[in-house]
Amino acid sequence: MARKNGKDGKSAGSEKSLESDKTTEAQPQAAWPDHPPSFAGWARAAIAGTGTAPSLSPHLHPVLPPAAPGIVTVEPGQSVSLAAIDPDATGGLEKAAAKAELDAQRVRIRALQEKLYAEHRRSLLVVFQAIDTGGKDGTIRNVLEGVNPQGCRVWSFKVPSTEELDQDFLWRYHLRTPGRGLIGVFNRSHYEDVLVVRVKGLVPEETWRERYGIINDFERLLTLSGTVILKFFLHISKDEQKERLEARLADPEKHWKFDPADLVERKSWDAYQTAFNDALARCSTPYAPWHVVPANRKWARNVMVARTIADTLEAMDPRFPEPRKGLDGIKVPD
C-alpha cells in the first residue's frame, strides 16, 4: 500500500555507456565550420539535455531522500486509501516547537536554492494537489517565505483558457516547468486532468484513464532532463473542510476566498476521494513518488513539507560554480 517515511527509498535505473555520444559530438562542427554561431548554442543544449549534472545521467534517476516523518509516501505499484491515513497526524512534532523548526527549514531552503540557481544545471518542480480548502496557498506562502523570487516560479492552474484547450492536455503545464537553476511550484497541476475532469465527466473514461501513463512518461522526461519532482497531496478530513469553509463565511476579510461553487464540489467529496486514490496509486513512481501530507494541522503540515523540500535540495547537492581563474590578482579601481 503506502509507507510512512523513515526508511530510505531509492530509485533504480540502468546506466548505459555514453561513448557513442562522445565520438559523434564534434562531427557536426567539423562538417559545417562556417555555420552561424547559434549552432554552438544548439550543441550545448543537446549536451546539457543528456543529463551531465553531477548527480544525474540520462539513464539513472536521482536518488530521492525519504520524506519527513509523518508524511506517507505511496509505494510505486501499490494501492492507497486516503481513508486509512490520519489527517491529524503530526509526525511527532509539537506545536510549541513548530515555528522554530519551520524557520530552520526555511533557512536551509534559501541557502540551497541560491546554490541551485548559481549552479544552473538542474531544477526542482514541487507539485501541490488537494481538495478545496486543502491548504495549497497557505503551504506555498509559509514554506517558501524568503526564497529569492528570481529563482522561484509559482503557477496556479485554473480553468483552462480557449488557447490551452486547443492544445494537448499537458501543453500548458510543460510550458511552465522550471528551467535549469529554478524551483517551480505548481498550485494544482497536470493531475487536474485525471481528477476534476474525471469527477465532472468532462471527457470519456477511456480518455482520462490513458492519461495516467502519459503523465508518468511526462514526469520521466522531466526527470531525465534534470528536473527533480516532489509531489505533495495535502490530506484533510471532510469535517476540517467544513470548518474552513465556515471560517471564511464568518470573517468578512475572508469572504473573497469563499466561492459558492465550493459547496457544489463538496457534494462530490466521495467521488474526489476515489479519483485521488487512483491518481496517487497509478502515478507514484520511483522517480516521482506521491507524498500524502496530513494537513488538518497547518503548523505540522508546513514543517513536514518544508523539511522534505530542504532534504531533497540537500540530496541534489547543488554547488556554486568554480571561480574564474586569476581573481586573486584583480584590484577594483577607486
Side-chain angles (χ1 to χ4, degrees), residues 19 42 55 61 70 85-86 89 99 158 202 214 252 274 289 302 318:
E19 290 302 314
W42 280 95
S55 65
H61 293 298
I85 299 174
D86 182 8
K99 185 180 184 304
K158 307 295 185 181
L202 300 180
I214 296 171
T274 299
N302 293 339

Side-chain angles (χ1 to χ4, degrees), residues 173-244:
Y173 306 107
H174 204 167
L175 195 64
R176 294 169 174 85
T177 54
R180 289 183 175 85
L182 299 180
I183 295 176
V185 181
F186 282 3
N187 183 341
R188 299 188 186 273
S189 69
H190 42 293
Y191 284 94
E192 291 298 300
D193 287 273
V194 292
L195 295 170
V196 64
V197 165
R198 169 181 174 172
V199 172
K200 291 183 175 296
L202 300 180
V203 298
E205 180 175 344
E206 58 267 26
T207 298
W208 58 256
R209 280 199 179 276
E210 68 180 357
R211 287 178 177 175
Y212 296 124
I214 296 171
I215 286 172
N216 289 338
D217 289 341
F218 170 59
E219 293 178 351
R220 183 171 184 271
L221 169 65
L222 294 179
T223 302
L224 293 179
S225 300
T227 299
V228 174
I229 303 173
L230 271 178
K231 300 185 299 192
F232 296 109
F233 178 78
L234 306 181
H235 176 44
I236 64 170
S237 65
K238 192 174 183 180
D239 288 343
E240 179 67 19
Q241 186 193 57
K242 183 175 187 293
E243 290 183 13
R244 294 183 183 185

Side-chain angles (χ1 to χ4, degrees), residues 64-290:
L64 301 175
I71 290 178
V72 177
T73 298
V74 180
E75 293 285 2
Q78 301 297 313
S79 62
V80 62
S81 172
L82 291 172
I85 299 174
D86 182 8
D88 284 312
T90 66
L93 291 168
E94 297 292 338
K95 188 173 183 179
K99 185 180 184 304
E101 177 66 14
L102 179 59
D103 288 342
Q105 299 305 328
R106 285 171 177 160
V107 169
R108 292 179 66 205
I109 291 172
R110 289 196 291 268
L112 290 161
Q113 182 264 338
E114 183 181 8
K115 291 182 179 181
L116 183 75
Y117 185 77
E119 182 186 63
H120 198 72
R121 302 184 77 179
R122 293 164 294 174
S123 58
L124 176 66
L125 174 61
V126 186
V127 174
F128 289 99
Q129 287 289 159
I131 203 159
D132 293 330
T133 75
K136 301 180 296 297
D137 293 349
T139 303
I140 294 168
R141 182 176 62 253
N142 282 280
V143 169
L144 296 177
E145 181 181 303
V147 171
N148 187 340
Q150 291 186 101
C152 185
R153 307 283 189 273
V154 179
W155 301 100
S156 296
F157 292 99
K158 307 295 185 181
V159 176
S161 67
T162 301
E163 180 187 20
E164 291 168 340
L165 288 171
D166 285 342
Q167 310 293 331
D168 66 89
F169 84 96
L170 285 175
W171 180 78
R172 65 171 179 158
Y173 306 107
H174 204 167
L175 195 64
R176 294 169 174 85
T177 54
R180 289 183 175 85
L182 299 180
I183 295 176
V185 181
F186 282 3
N187 183 341
R188 299 188 186 273
S189 69
H190 42 293
Y191 284 94
E192 291 298 300
D193 287 273
V194 292
L195 295 170
V196 64
V197 165
R198 169 181 174 172
V199 172
K200 291 183 175 296
L202 300 180
V203 298
E205 180 175 344
E206 58 267 26
T207 298
W208 58 256
R209 280 199 179 276
E210 68 180 357
R211 287 178 177 175
Y212 296 124
I214 296 171
I215 286 172
N216 289 338
D217 289 341
F218 170 59
E219 293 178 351
R220 183 171 184 271
L221 169 65
L222 294 179
T223 302
L224 293 179
S225 300
T227 299
V228 174
I229 303 173
L230 271 178
K231 300 185 299 192
F232 296 109
F233 178 78
L234 306 181
H235 176 44
I236 64 170
S237 65
K238 192 174 183 180
D239 288 343
E240 179 67 19
Q241 186 193 57
K242 183 175 187 293
E243 290 183 13
R244 294 183 183 185
L245 288 171
E246 290 174 339
R248 292 178 180 180
L249 286 171
D251 185 353
E253 293 189 357
K254 299 295 184 181
H255 283 178
W256 67 273
K257 298 181 70 175
F258 183 84
D259 186 345
D262 292 342
L263 301 181
V264 178
E265 293 294 285
R266 181 171 165 80
K267 295 178 181 179
S268 299
W269 176 275
D270 291 340
Y272 273 110
Q273 295 299 296
T274 299
F276 287 136
N277 285 338
D278 285 350
L280 297 174
R282 293 176 181 270
C283 297
S284 193
T285 59
Y287 49 89
W290 267 110

